[in-house]
Amino acid sequence: MDKLARYREILRQLIFDYASHKPANGQIETEPVIDSERDHYEVLHVGWDGVRRVHGSVVHIDIINDKVWIQYDGTSQPVAEALLEAGILREDIVLGFHPAELRQYTDFAIS
């Protein structure tokens, strides 16, 4: 299996794992969103917490130029650590939620 196919499979499994964790309060569902053709992976929360509507991304990951870009991480279990544990190389992970000029100070890829 080539690197990109392996990364896609890791992301697919990771998204389903994160989507299996339901919020403790409210009537909120988790929805895995996987678009392997466009390399877009996301977990959404959708529902109600009392009278407040809940709709938003919890995890958003893209593959761009053979790198895994973490666009958003709203979890208590850091996505970057889960990616490393699953076998994605540190130099192939970009913390896209940090500004480009700050990424050089992380232990991850710049872009």
Side-chain angles (χ1 to χ4, degrees), residues 62-105:
D62 293 318
I63 297 177
I64 302 170
N65 297 326
D66 296 334
K67 303 253 187 208
V68 177
W69 284 68
I70 303 171
Q71 304 290 12
Y72 182 75
D73 180 357
T75 70
S76 58
Q77 303 165 347
V79 171
E81 295 303 319
L83 293 174
L84 289 170
E85 289 174 13
I88 294 183
L89 301 174
R90 184 176 294 276
E91 57 267 19
D92 286 343
I93 299 172
V94 178
L95 304 180
F97 53 83
H98 285 311
E101 61 273 6
L102 295 182
R103 289 185 207 136
Q104 63 183 319
Y105 303 113

Side-chain angles (χ1 to χ4, degrees), residues 19-31:
S20 71
H21 301 284
K22 306 279 186 198
N25 51 328
Q27 295 177 323
I28 301 168
E29 297 297 319
T30 56
E31 296 183 2

Side-chain angles (χ1 to χ4, degrees), residues 6-58:
R6 188 169 58 82
Y7 283 4
R8 285 180 177 133
E9 181 57 27
I10 289 170
L11 292 178
R12 190 186 72 72
Q13 290 175 2
L14 186 74
I15 290 299
F16 281 118
D17 181 52
Y18 277 107
S20 71
H21 301 284
K22 306 279 186 198
N25 51 328
Q27 295 177 323
I28 301 168
E29 297 297 319
T30 56
E31 296 183 2
V33 178
I34 297 173
D35 182 351
S36 299
E37 259 181 55
R38 293 170 192 82
D39 287 323
H40 176 78
Y41 306 83
E42 195 165 359
V43 176
L44 296 173
H45 278 176
V46 179
W48 292 91
D49 186 8
V51 296
R52 185 177 69 88
R53 178 69 175 159
V54 175
H55 183 273
S57 180
V58 180

